[in-house]
Amino acid sequence: MERQAAGGQPVQQRSNHKQIKPHIMEEWVGKVYTTLCIIVLIVTIVAIVYFVASRGLSTFFVSGVNVGELLTGLKWSPEGDIPSFGALPFIFGSFSTSLLAACIAAPLGCCAAIFMTQILPGAGRRVLQPVIEL
């Protein structure tokens, strides 16, 4: 049964069979590509975890380093007469610089947000939006 257009001329119905087939092939290729990418990612992550764990844990099992000494020791001298592995100064330094950065950045971020929304919404947003996004 043919449909008629507004002008009274018959309109041919299109077969969707030919249009569906390329999409099925594209979906199949996409699924295969996605599956390969997932497999590569999983293999890469497992390899990284294995490498880091084998090298990191060998320090404790082969060299005989105590975890308590590592976390609480104050002296780092792996090449000394008596090797010592004390990472507390490094841990404290990382923690203190992160805390200091947060103490500086939090008030500045709050002040910038208040300025952009309450004091100068139009001009403040145009000026500070690119800076904040960077």
Side-chain angles (χ1 to χ4, degrees):
M1 190 168 169
E2 293 184 1
R3 295 184 326 187
Q4 291 188 352
Q9 298 177 352
V11 176
Q12 293 180 349
Q13 293 180 351
R14 296 182 207 165
S15 173
N16 288 335
H17 180 62
K18 292 181 181 179
Q19 292 176 352
I20 293 175
K21 192 171 185 177
H23 294 294
I24 291 174
M25 187 64 172
E26 290 171 0
E27 287 181 16
W28 184 79
V29 169
K31 287 179 183 180
V32 169
Y33 180 72
T34 304
T35 305
L36 289 175
C37 289
I38 290 171
I39 290 170
V40 168
L41 284 173
I42 290 172
V43 168
T44 303
I45 290 170
V46 167
I48 290 171
V49 167
Y50 172 75
F51 179 77
V52 169
S54 66
R55 301 293 181 179
L57 293 177
S58 69
T59 302
F60 299 110
F61 294 125
V62 175
S63 301
V65 176
N66 186 0
V67 177
E69 290 178 18
L70 177 73
L71 297 176
T72 60
L74 298 175
K75 185 178 177 188
W76 183 268
S77 178
E79 300 293 327
D81 294 334
I82 300 173
S84 60
F85 300 93
L88 185 62
F90 304 120
I91 296 169
F92 179 75
S94 297
F95 179 74
S96 61
T97 53
S98 298
L99 186 64
L100 180 65
C103 289
I104 292 171
L108 288 176
C110 290
C111 290
I114 291 170
F115 178 78
M116 284 176 49
T117 57
Q118 301 298 322
I119 298 173
L120 268 173
R125 182 166 295 168
R126 281 193 304 270
V127 172
L128 286 179
Q129 189 73 30
V131 174
I132 290 173
E133 288 177 0
L134 284 176

